[in-house]
Amino acid sequence: MTRYHLNLFNDTDILDEEGQDFPNIAAAVAEAVRSARDIIAEHVLTGRTIHLQHRMEVTDPEGRLLSTVRFGDVVRFEQ
Amino acid sequence: MLQRSVLTEEEQAAICSLEGREAGIEPHRDIVRPGEHTDYSCLVVSGLAARFGQLRDGHRQITAIHIAGDMCDLYSLMLPKVEWAIQALSSPVKILKVPHRDLLKLVRAYPAVAEAFWRDCVADGSILAQWVVNVGRRDARMRTAHLLCELGVRMERAGLGRRDAYTLDIVQTQLADALGMTPVHMNRIIRGLREDGLLVTRRRDIHITDWAALAAAGGFEGGYLEYEDGPHRRL
């Protein structure tokens, strides 16, 4: 297991100081996607605005950026 | 147990004379595995334990947090094999494994002790009922506030801190698993509660700076943790 940090850049920025353990980067990114969707879902339920450019960043413990997940990449819309 | 039930000295002595096997459990290790057939029930002596259900993809829902003094699987006396599991949270847990046969002997000899155990199971069920409302109907902020208030009251009653100042020795993923949300989302909610002046967190220490406001934010009413007559006994 490797420690990754999932930082949120939303209406407020939340840095993940504690980190979470995942078997690999793919699993950490999958959790970042799940987290983004979780926050978007709450925004929908409470009638808040969703900014598609808001994002999650996955870093290693040294703070090196490994992956970025934009809110706009994890939801689909159709007219 | 004595906060919920009045027991005579003889009954208390009978409980204290139960011989349990003390066991130390490392963090994140199972105390009872899912599907395991147990012939004992566990008293949490120190540390925090959790009951949880797990999906095939590894995601978990914690359905109970047990603190020191909780008999965490009293139901196993009637249902020795369950599909959920009990695990130590992020610090070492000390438990006392009390054999079912001794517990059965005890409750048959002392009906008041059986009632006391029954009352403890009711308390567990009352908390569980609130948790269902939490994950089913309370929004993220409300359910986080509710759980932090509940744990405060329980810690205080167990002599493990004050309701507005206690140590919650668990990692963020575990608290999130109890709240049914992702850790990232939970951190965002806790940040909001901090910014609103409701609480201060420092590492594992929770300091609720405005109890009334946090309780209001969580819709927390502690009645389900109390017993109408307090400790009572019908003679």
Side-chain angles (χ1 to χ4, degrees):
Chain A
M1 295 295 252
T2 311
R3 175 71 45 108
Y4 295 93
H5 296 256
L6 276 57
N7 301 318
L8 170 68
F9 298 89
N10 190 212
D11 42 4
T12 168
D13 298 346
I14 311 286
L15 300 183
D16 178 8
E17 288 162 18
E18 190 175 305
Q20 300 181 49
D21 294 329
F22 296 102
N24 52 47
I25 178 69
V29 171
E31 177 65 14
V33 169
R34 195 171 78 97
S35 304
R37 287 178 174 155
D38 191 17
I39 287 163
I40 291 166
E42 182 77 9
H43 281 12
V44 171
L45 286 172
T46 52
R48 300 166 76 123
T49 305
I50 297 150
H51 296 275
L52 299 181
Q53 73 278 18
H54 284 175
R55 67 192 194 281
M56 297 279 321
E57 287 186 358
V58 181
T59 72
D60 65 14
E62 283 71 48
R64 278 186 292 260
L65 180 63
L66 303 174
S67 184
T68 301
V69 174
R70 285 181 199 284
F71 280 22
D73 298 335
V74 299
V75 282
R76 279 178 294 188
F77 300 95
E78 206 173 317
Q79 282 283 9
Chain B
M1 182 182 280
L2 288 175
Q3 286 174 356
R4 286 193 271 267
S5 306
V6 176
L7 296 172
T8 63
E9 274 179 26
E10 186 189 347
E11 288 155 354
Q12 289 181 42
I15 293 175
C16 292
S17 69
L18 281 172
E19 282 188 25
R21 194 152 47 86
E22 203 172 277
I25 314 287
E26 290 298 306
H28 310 291
R29 295 298 170 89
D30 283 344
I31 296 171
V32 178
R33 292 179 198 285
E36 181 180 337
H37 199 283
T38 57
D39 56 5
Y40 55 84
S41 291
C42 303
L43 172 74
V44 179
V45 177
S46 64
L48 292 174
R51 177 176 65 210
F52 65 88
Q54 187 161 340
L55 304 182
R56 279 173 194 274
D57 66 6
H59 287 131
R60 284 180 175 182
Q61 177 66 43
I62 288 181
T63 59
I65 292 177
H66 296 294
I67 64 178
D70 283 350
M71 196 86 182
C72 67
D73 59 350
L74 212 39
Y75 50 77
S76 71
L77 200 55
M78 300 298 144
L79 192 65
K81 180 173 176 288
V82 290
E83 294 311 315
W84 59 80
I86 298 175
Q87 197 177 68
L89 287 170
S90 59
S91 53
V93 172
K94 202 184 283 176
I95 58 163
L96 201 63
K97 296 179 173 181
V98 187
H100 284 161
R101 60 169 191 282
D102 296 347
L103 285 170
L104 284 171
K105 249 186 256 168
L106 178 72
V107 298
R108 283 167 186 157
Y110 299 98
V113 174
E115 277 185 42
F117 282 164
W118 191 352
R119 210 166 281 125
D120 277 14
C121 288
V122 171
D124 187 57
S126 300
I127 291 169
L128 186 58
Q130 282 295 327
W131 283 37
V132 172
V133 177
N134 247 8
V135 295
R137 282 290 178 260
R138 292 192 180 105
D139 69 20
R141 179 182 161 95
M142 211 177 169
R143 76 176 83 145
T144 304
H146 193 277
L147 182 63
L148 292 175
C149 286
E150 179 195 295
L151 288 170
V153 170
R154 290 172 58 200
M155 293 277 189
E156 183 174 278
R157 290 172 64 111
L160 301 169
R162 292 202 330 243
R163 65 180 60 200
D164 59 356
Y166 60 93
T167 301
L168 188 61
D169 208 356
I170 69 181
V171 297
Q172 58 176 356
T173 46
Q174 295 167 334
L175 189 57
D177 283 345
L179 291 166
M181 60 180 99
T182 58
V184 172
H185 190 183
M186 182 192 72
N187 285 334
R188 185 178 178 283
I189 296 294
I190 288 177
R191 164 77 75 88
L193 293 171
R194 284 202 319 234
E195 285 176 354
D196 292 345
L198 274 53
L199 55 89
V200 175
T201 54
R202 202 165 147 269
R203 298 183 140 270
R204 307 276 192 252
D205 294 330
I206 310 277
H207 184 199
I208 299 170
T209 41
D210 189 339
W211 176 269
L214 190 70
F220 177 79
E221 290 169 12
Y224 70 100
L225 299 171
E226 312 287 337
Y227 285 80
E228 228 167 68
D229 311 316
H232 67 281
R233 175 155 201 172
R234 226 177 303 158
L235 291 165

